Amino acid sequence: MSRTRTERLVNLVICLLSTRRFLTAVQIAATVPGYQHDPHDVRDHEAFQRKFERDKAELRELGVPLETGTASAFDLEPGYRIARRQYALPEIPLEPDEAAAVGIAARLWQHAGLAAAASSGLAKLRAAGVDVDPQATLGLEPMVTVDPAFAPLTAAARDRREVAFDYRVPDRDEPSARRLQPWGVVCWRGRWYVVGHDLDRAAARCFRLSRVVGAVRTVGQSGAYEPPAEVDLISYVARSSGPVERTGRARVLVAPNRAAGLRRWAVETTSGSTGDQLVLPYADPEALAGQLVGYGPDVRVLDPPEVREAVIQRLKETAARHDVVAGSAR
């Protein structure tokens, strides 16, 4: 969703929350920024109507209780308003830094492909009178990457549609075809997984999104199945993944009095003039690299080479993404 459309939807929500009477489309067009048009120009008016219909559908999809009715029996055109009793939020006393953190979370959701959830949350907070800045950074620039299969699988789980995809496991050279009724997508230990009912095996299964090969194909109609009630997707992935055997050992140099989390994790610590050397147990070099880069210049990997290279690759990818973001902002 574009920033212009998001702002228009937020303004529409605020407008419809600010009145107890039904507002017609004409009244809304004259009130909400983004709907300005020439009502006497047929093409311009038709464009407004299409835009307004899309926005109404978007609000309802986001869970906004949009009501349709008339202010009196003499009104010929229906009007719209938002049911306050269903949409009202309790008082939300956020400090400035907390409001900024909410803005960061919204940006994270949008990077992760969850723009609808971000827009819904921000619209409700603004309508409740909370000044939330989605551009706030607090000195951070959140960057979240997801696998290509993330968007189609989350959409299929939401719509209850069966999917088909090719899946590669480490001990096989060729991917195999899988058919799944997805229940949901979750993140576990830095990896994204989809959990659902495997139609070919007639049992629950979870699949790591990074191992999905090619496009995810939707099959059949929406609402084709119902997932089990109160299923705990994270627990299922945790059980399927099994215990982690941290047989590897990484040696890192940590700046004095920094990286307390790593210090608690270390199995060995040696103090030195330039910092402290920590020995960290690990199972997956990529997962360890994802944790180490979060400490920035306070941590430097000494060995083994596989962890050092994984960290360097992570930093290169982050720098490349920031270059793209900076370039698009110019």
Side-chain angles (χ1 to χ4, degrees):
M1 185 186 299
S2 68
R3 181 176 179 180
T4 301
R5 186 179 181 192
T6 300
E7 292 177 348
R8 187 175 69 242
L9 287 175
V10 171
N11 289 328
L12 177 58
V13 168
I14 294 174
C15 173
L16 296 180
L17 277 174
S18 301
T19 179
R20 296 186 180 276
R21 60 190 295 268
F22 291 98
L23 298 180
T24 66
V26 173
Q27 293 170 321
I28 292 172
T31 305
V32 177
Y35 288 134
Q36 300 90 339
H37 70 286
D38 183 359
H40 302 292
D41 186 321
V42 175
R43 297 183 63 179
D44 198 20
H45 186 62
E46 288 179 348
F48 156 71
Q49 289 179 317
R50 290 194 297 270
K51 182 190 301 183
F52 185 50
E53 289 299 320
R54 287 196 302 270
D55 288 353
K56 286 193 299 180
E58 185 74 27
L59 289 182
R60 288 185 171 118
E61 185 177 341
L62 292 172
V64 178
L66 189 62
E67 293 182 330
T68 304
T70 55
S72 71
F74 300 100
D75 290 340
L76 300 178
E77 183 180 353
Y80 307 91
R81 70 183 182 188
I82 292 175
R84 286 191 177 189
R85 62 187 180 280
Q86 300 178 28
Y87 193 73
L89 287 173
E91 182 181 355
I92 307 175
L94 295 181
E95 297 296 329
D97 58 338
E98 295 173 325
V102 172
I104 289 177
R107 297 179 68 187
L108 284 168
W109 295 335
Q110 289 172 333
H111 277 295
L114 303 180
S119 299
S120 175
L122 290 180
K124 290 183 178 181
L125 287 170
R126 286 200 181 101
V130 177
D131 185 16
V132 175
D133 180 9
Q135 301 304 314
T137 63
L138 292 179
L140 304 173
E141 180 61 28
M143 302 296 291
V144 175
T145 58
V146 293
D147 301 287
F150 179 90
L153 285 174
T154 52
R158 179 196 63 209
D159 298 336
R160 305 292 184 253
R161 292 189 69 181
E162 297 177 1
V163 296
F165 53 85
D166 294 331
Y167 190 73
R168 177 180 285 114
V169 293
D171 56 348
R172 294 184 182 179
D173 294 332
E174 296 297 326
S176 59
R178 313 305 286 261
R179 296 187 305 137
L180 186 72
Q181 293 177 341
W183 300 338
V185 177
V186 295
C187 185
W188 172 248
R189 289 175 178 158
R191 307 284 188 181
W192 290 98
Y193 296 84
V194 60
V195 182
H197 179 71
D198 190 316
L199 294 169
D200 295 315
R201 291 151 182 80
R205 291 288 189 274
C206 68
F207 301 92
R208 202 166 93 181
L209 268 57
S210 62
R211 293 176 180 168
V212 173
V213 180
V216 175
R217 305 172 294 281
T218 53
V219 180
Q221 301 297 319
S222 299
Y225 61 91
E226 283 295 327
E230 300 181 357
V231 60
D232 188 340
L233 302 182
I234 289 287
S235 295
Y236 184 86
V237 173
R239 291 194 302 270
S240 301
S241 301
V244 176
E245 296 184 5
R246 295 186 172 90
T247 57
R249 292 292 184 269
R251 193 163 53 93
V252 300
L253 182 64
V254 178
N257 302 318
R258 308 295 291 179
L262 290 184
R263 294 176 184 275
R264 290 192 296 268
W265 180 14
V267 295
E268 182 181 327
T269 302
T270 304
S271 299
S273 58
T274 59
D276 300 329
Q277 289 191 20
L278 310 182
V279 176
L280 307 175
Y282 72 95
D284 182 0
E286 293 290 338
L288 177 59
Q291 294 177 307
L292 295 179
V293 295
Y295 290 95
D298 291 334
V299 174
R300 181 162 60 91
V301 179
L302 301 177
D303 59 61
E306 64 171 2
V307 175
R308 184 178 177 85
E309 290 302 319
V311 168
I312 292 174
Q313 185 60 34
R314 287 283 187 119
L315 294 174
K316 287 182 178 178
E317 292 173 356
T318 301
R321 289 196 295 270
H322 276 282
D323 288 342
V324 171
V325 172
S328 62
R330 294 191 184 101

Coordinates of all heavy atoms in Angstrom, one line a residue, residues 60-118:
R60 N -12.8 -2.5 5.5 CA -13.6 -3.7 6.0 C -12.6 -4.9 6.1 O -12.7 -5.6 7.1 CB -14.8 -4.0 5.1 CG -15.9 -2.9 5.2 CD -17.1 -3.3 4.4 NE -18.2 -2.5 4.7 CZ -18.8 -1.7 3.8 NH1 -18.4 -1.7 2.5 NH2 -19.9 -0.9 4.1
E61 N -11.7 -5.0 5.2 CA -10.7 -6.1 5.3 C -9.8 -5.9 6.5 O -9.4 -6.9 7.1 CB -9.9 -6.2 4.0 CG -9.0 -7.4 3.9 CD -8.2 -7.5 2.6 OE1 -8.7 -6.8 1.6 OE2 -7.2 -8.1 2.5
L62 N -9.5 -4.7 6.8 CA -8.7 -4.4 8.0 C -9.4 -4.5 9.3 O -8.9 -4.3 10.4 CB -8.1 -3.0 7.9 CG -7.1 -2.8 6.7 CD1 -6.7 -1.3 6.6 CD2 -5.8 -3.6 7.0
G63 N -10.7 -4.8 9.2 CA -11.5 -5.0 10.4 C -12.2 -3.7 10.9 O -12.7 -3.7 12.1
V64 N -12.2 -2.7 10.1 CA -12.9 -1.4 10.5 C -14.4 -1.6 10.4 O -14.9 -1.9 9.3 CB -12.4 -0.2 9.7 CG1 -13.2 1.0 10.1 CG2 -10.9 0.0 9.9
P65 N -15.2 -1.4 11.5 CA -16.7 -1.6 11.4 C -17.4 -0.5 10.7 O -17.9 0.4 11.3 CB -17.1 -1.7 12.9 CG -16.0 -0.9 13.6 CD -14.8 -1.1 12.8
L66 N -17.4 -0.6 9.4 CA -17.9 0.5 8.5 C -19.4 0.2 8.4 O -19.8 -0.8 7.9 CB -17.3 0.5 7.2 CG -17.6 1.7 6.2 CD1 -17.1 3.0 6.9 CD2 -16.9 1.5 4.9
E67 N -20.3 1.2 8.8 CA -21.7 1.0 8.7 C -22.3 1.8 7.5 O -21.7 2.9 7.2 CB -22.4 1.5 10.0 CG -22.1 0.7 11.2 CD -22.8 1.2 12.4 OE1 -23.1 2.4 12.5 OE2 -23.2 0.3 13.3
T68 N -23.3 1.4 7.0 CA -24.0 2.1 5.9 C -25.5 2.3 6.3 O -26.1 1.5 6.9 CB -24.1 1.2 4.6 OG1 -22.7 0.9 4.2 CG2 -24.7 2.0 3.4
G69 N -25.9 3.6 6.0 CA -27.3 3.9 6.4 C -27.6 5.3 6.0 O -26.9 5.9 5.2
T70 N -28.8 5.8 6.4 CA -29.2 7.2 6.0 C -29.5 8.0 7.3 O -29.9 7.4 8.3 CB -30.4 7.2 5.1 OG1 -31.5 6.4 5.8 CG2 -30.1 6.5 3.8
A71 N -29.3 9.3 7.2 CA -29.5 10.2 8.4 C -31.0 10.3 8.6 O -31.4 10.5 9.7 CB -28.8 11.5 8.1
S72 N -31.8 10.3 7.6 CA -33.3 10.4 7.7 C -34.0 9.7 6.6 O -33.3 9.2 5.6 CB -33.7 11.9 7.7 OG -33.6 12.4 6.4
A73 N -35.3 9.5 6.7 CA -36.1 8.8 5.7 C -36.1 9.5 4.4 O -36.5 9.0 3.4 CB -37.5 8.6 6.3
F74 N -35.8 10.8 4.4 CA -35.8 11.6 3.2 C -34.5 11.6 2.4 O -34.5 12.1 1.2 CB -36.2 13.1 3.5 CG -37.5 13.2 4.2 CD1 -37.5 13.4 5.6 CD2 -38.7 13.2 3.5 CE1 -38.7 13.5 6.3 CE2 -39.9 13.3 4.2 CZ -39.9 13.5 5.6
D75 N -33.5 11.0 2.9 CA -32.2 10.9 2.2 C -32.3 9.8 1.1 O -32.8 8.7 1.4 CB -31.1 10.5 3.2 CG -30.8 11.7 4.1 OD1 -31.1 12.8 3.7 OD2 -30.2 11.5 5.1
L76 N -31.9 10.2 -0.1 CA -31.9 9.3 -1.2 C -30.6 8.5 -1.4 O -30.6 7.4 -1.9 CB -32.3 10.0 -2.5 CG -33.6 10.7 -2.5 CD1 -33.8 11.5 -3.9 CD2 -34.7 9.7 -2.3
E77 N -29.5 9.1 -0.9 CA -28.2 8.5 -1.1 C -27.7 8.0 0.3 O -27.8 8.6 1.3 CB -27.2 9.6 -1.6 CG -25.8 9.0 -1.8 CD -24.9 10.1 -2.3 OE1 -25.3 11.2 -2.6 OE2 -23.7 9.8 -2.4
P78 N -27.2 6.7 0.3 CA -26.7 6.1 1.6 C -25.5 6.9 2.0 O -24.7 7.5 1.3 CB -26.4 4.7 1.2 CG -26.1 4.7 -0.3 CD -27.0 5.8 -0.8
G79 N -25.3 6.8 3.4 CA -24.1 7.4 3.9 C -23.3 6.4 4.7 O -23.7 5.2 4.8
Y80 N -22.2 6.8 5.3 CA -21.2 5.9 6.0 C -20.8 6.5 7.3 O -20.6 7.7 7.4 CB -20.0 5.6 5.1 CG -20.4 5.1 3.7 CD1 -20.6 6.1 2.6 CD2 -20.7 3.8 3.4 CE1 -21.0 5.6 1.4 CE2 -21.0 3.4 2.2 CZ -21.2 4.3 1.2 OH -21.6 3.9 -0.1
R81 N -20.5 5.6 8.2 CA -19.9 6.0 9.5 C -19.2 4.8 10.1 O -19.5 3.7 9.6 CB -20.9 6.6 10.5 CG -21.9 5.6 11.0 CD -22.9 6.2 11.9 NE -23.9 5.3 12.5 CZ -25.0 5.6 13.2 NH1 -25.3 6.8 13.4 NH2 -25.7 4.6 13.6
I82 N -18.4 5.0 11.1 CA -17.8 3.9 11.8 C -18.4 3.7 13.2 O -18.6 4.7 13.9 CB -16.2 4.2 12.0 CG1 -15.6 4.1 10.6 CG2 -15.6 3.1 12.9 CD1 -14.1 4.5 10.6
A83 N -18.8 2.5 13.5 CA -19.4 2.2 14.8 C -18.4 2.4 15.9 O -17.5 1.5 16.1 CB -20.0 0.8 14.8
R84 N -18.5 3.4 16.7 CA -17.5 3.7 17.7 C -17.4 2.6 18.7 O -16.4 2.3 19.2 CB -17.8 5.0 18.4 CG -17.5 6.3 17.6 CD -17.6 7.5 18.4 NE -17.3 8.7 17.7 CZ -17.2 9.9 18.3 NH1 -17.3 10.0 19.6 NH2 -16.9 10.9 17.6
R85 N -18.6 2.1 19.1 CA -18.6 1.1 20.2 C -17.8 -0.2 19.8 O -17.4 -0.9 20.7 CB -20.1 0.7 20.5 CG -20.8 0.1 19.3 CD -22.3 -0.1 19.6 NE -23.0 -0.7 18.4 CZ -23.4 -0.1 17.4 NH1 -23.2 1.3 17.3 NH2 -24.0 -0.7 16.4
Q86 N -17.7 -0.4 18.5 CA -17.0 -1.6 18.1 C -15.5 -1.3 17.8 O -14.7 -2.2 17.7 CB -17.6 -2.2 16.8 CG -19.1 -2.7 17.0 CD -19.7 -3.2 15.7 OE1 -19.0 -3.7 14.9 NE2 -21.0 -3.1 15.6
Y87 N -15.2 0.0 17.6 CA -13.9 0.4 17.1 C -13.1 1.1 18.2 O -11.9 1.2 18.1 CB -14.0 1.3 15.9 CG -12.7 1.5 15.2 CD1 -12.1 0.5 14.4 CD2 -12.0 2.7 15.2 CE1 -11.0 0.6 13.7 CE2 -10.8 2.9 14.5 CZ -10.3 1.9 13.8 OH -9.1 2.0 13.1
A88 N -13.8 1.5 19.2 CA -13.1 2.4 20.3 C -12.0 1.6 21.0 O -12.1 0.4 21.2 CB -14.1 2.8 21.3
L89 N -10.9 2.3 21.3 CA -9.8 1.8 22.0 C -9.8 2.4 23.4 O -10.2 3.6 23.6 CB -8.5 2.1 21.3 CG -8.2 1.4 20.0 CD1 -6.9 2.0 19.4 CD2 -8.0 -0.1 20.3
P90 N -9.3 1.7 24.4 CA -9.1 2.4 25.7 C -8.0 3.4 25.6 O -7.3 3.5 24.6 CB -8.7 1.2 26.6 CG -8.1 0.2 25.7 CD -8.9 0.3 24.4
E91 N -7.9 4.2 26.6 CA -6.8 5.3 26.6 C -5.5 4.6 26.5 O -5.2 3.6 27.2 CB -6.9 6.1 27.9 CG -5.9 7.2 27.9 CD -6.0 8.0 29.2 OE1 -6.9 7.7 30.0 OE2 -5.1 8.9 29.4
I92 N -4.6 5.1 25.6 CA -3.3 4.6 25.3 C -2.3 5.6 25.7 O -1.9 6.5 24.8 CB -3.1 4.1 23.9 CG1 -4.3 3.2 23.5 CG2 -1.8 3.4 23.7 CD1 -4.3 2.9 22.0
P93 N -1.8 5.6 26.9 CA -0.8 6.7 27.3 C 0.6 6.3 26.9 O 1.3 5.6 27.7 CB -1.0 6.7 28.8 CG -1.4 5.3 29.2 CD -2.2 4.8 28.0
L94 N 1.0 6.7 25.7 CA 2.4 6.3 25.2 C 3.3 7.5 25.4 O 3.0 8.7 25.1 CB 2.3 6.0 23.8 CG 1.6 4.7 23.4 CD1 1.7 4.5 21.8 CD2 2.1 3.5 24.1
E95 N 4.5 7.2 26.0 CA 5.5 8.2 26.0 C 6.1 8.4 24.6 O 5.9 7.6 23.7 CB 6.6 7.8 27.0 CG 6.2 7.6 28.4 CD 5.7 8.9 29.0 OE1 6.3 10.0 28.6 OE2 4.8 8.9 29.9
P96 N 6.8 9.6 24.4 CA 7.3 9.8 23.0 C 8.2 8.7 22.5 O 8.1 8.3 21.3 CB 8.2 11.1 23.2 CG 7.5 11.8 24.3 CD 7.0 10.7 25.3
D97 N 9.1 8.1 23.4 CA 9.9 7.0 22.9 C 9.1 5.7 22.6 O 9.4 5.0 21.7 CB 11.0 6.7 23.9 CG 10.5 6.3 25.3 OD1 9.3 6.7 25.6 OD2 11.2 5.7 26.1
E98 N 8.0 5.5 23.4 CA 7.1 4.4 23.1 C 6.4 4.5 21.8 O 6.3 3.6 21.0 CB 6.1 4.2 24.2 CG 6.8 3.8 25.6 CD 5.8 3.8 26.7 OE1 4.9 4.7 26.7 OE2 6.0 3.0 27.6
A99 N 5.9 5.8 21.5 CA 5.3 6.0 20.2 C 6.2 5.8 19.1 O 5.8 5.3 18.0 CB 4.7 7.4 20.2
A100 N 7.5 6.2 19.3 CA 8.5 6.0 18.2 C 8.7 4.5 18.0 O 8.9 4.1 16.9 CB 9.8 6.7 18.6
A101 N 8.7 3.8 19.1 CA 8.9 2.3 19.0 C 7.8 1.7 18.2 O 8.0 0.7 17.4 CB 9.0 1.7 20.4
V102 N 6.5 2.2 18.4 CA 5.4 1.7 17.6 C 5.6 2.0 16.2 O 5.3 1.1 15.3 CB 4.1 2.3 18.1 CG1 2.9 1.9 17.2 CG2 3.8 1.8 19.6
G103 N 6.1 3.2 15.9 CA 6.4 3.5 14.5 C 7.4 2.5 13.9 O 7.3 2.1 12.7
I104 N 8.5 2.2 14.6 CA 9.5 1.2 14.1 C 8.8 -0.1 13.9 O 9.1 -0.8 12.9 CB 10.6 1.1 15.1 CG1 11.5 2.4 15.2 CG2 11.5 -0.1 14.8 CD1 12.6 2.4 16.2
A105 N 8.0 -0.6 14.8 CA 7.3 -1.9 14.6 C 6.5 -1.9 13.4 O 6.5 -2.9 12.6 CB 6.5 -2.2 15.9
A106 N 5.8 -0.8 13.1 CA 5.0 -0.7 11.9 C 5.9 -0.8 10.6 O 5.5 -1.5 9.7 CB 4.2 0.6 11.8
R107 N 7.0 -0.2 10.7 CA 7.9 -0.3 9.5 C 8.5 -1.7 9.4 O 8.6 -2.2 8.2 CB 9.1 0.7 9.7 CG 8.6 2.1 9.7 CD 9.8 3.1 9.9 NE 10.7 3.1 8.7 CZ 11.8 3.7 8.7 NH1 12.2 4.4 9.7 NH2 12.6 3.7 7.6
L108 N 8.7 -2.4 10.5 CA 9.2 -3.8 10.4 C 8.1 -4.6 9.8 O 8.4 -5.5 8.9 CB 9.5 -4.3 11.8 CG 10.8 -3.8 12.4 CD1 10.9 -4.1 13.9 CD2 12.0 -4.4 11.7
W109 N 6.8 -4.4 10.2 CA 5.8 -5.2 9.6 C 5.7 -5.0 8.1 O 5.4 -5.9 7.3 CB 4.4 -4.9 10.3 CG 4.4 -5.2 11.7 CD1 5.1 -6.1 12.4 CD2 3.5 -4.6 12.7 NE1 4.8 -6.1 13.7 CE2 3.8 -5.2 14.0 CE3 2.6 -3.5 12.7 CZ2 3.2 -4.8 15.1 CZ3 2.0 -3.2 13.8 CH2 2.3 -3.8 15.1
Q110 N 5.8 -3.7 7.7 CA 5.7 -3.5 6.3 C 6.9 -4.1 5.5 O 6.7 -4.6 4.4 CB 5.7 -1.9 6.1 CG 4.4 -1.3 6.6 CD 4.4 0.2 6.6 OE1 5.5 0.8 6.7 NE2 3.3 0.8 6.4
H111 N 8.1 -4.1 6.1 CA 9.2 -4.7 5.4 C 8.9 -6.2 5.3 O 9.4 -6.9 4.3 CB 10.5 -4.5 6.2 CG 11.1 -3.2 5.9 ND1 11.7 -2.9 4.6 CD2 11.4 -2.1 6.6 CE1 12.2 -1.7 4.6 NE2 12.0 -1.1 5.8
A112 N 8.3 -6.8 6.3 CA 8.0 -8.2 6.3 C 6.8 -8.6 5.5 O 6.4 -9.8 5.4 CB 7.8 -8.7 7.7
G113 N 6.2 -7.7 4.8 CA 5.0 -8.0 3.9 C 3.7 -8.0 4.7 O 2.7 -8.4 4.2
L114 N 3.7 -7.4 5.9 CA 2.5 -7.3 6.6 C 2.0 -5.9 6.7 O 1.6 -5.3 7.7 CB 2.7 -7.9 8.1 CG 3.2 -9.3 8.1 CD1 3.4 -9.7 9.6 CD2 2.3 -10.2 7.5
A115 N 1.9 -5.2 5.5 CA 1.5 -3.8 5.5 C 0.1 -3.6 6.0 O -0.2 -2.6 6.5 CB 1.7 -3.3 4.0
A116 N -0.8 -4.6 5.7 CA -2.2 -4.4 6.1 C -2.3 -4.3 7.6 O -3.0 -3.4 8.2 CB -3.0 -5.6 5.6
A117 N -1.5 -5.1 8.3 CA -1.6 -5.1 9.8 C -1.0 -3.8 10.3 O -1.5 -3.2 11.3 CB -0.8 -6.3 10.4
A118 N 0.1 -3.3 9.7 CA 0.7 -2.1 10.1 C -0.2 -0.9 9.9 O -0.4 -0.1 10.7 CB 2.0 -1.8 9.3

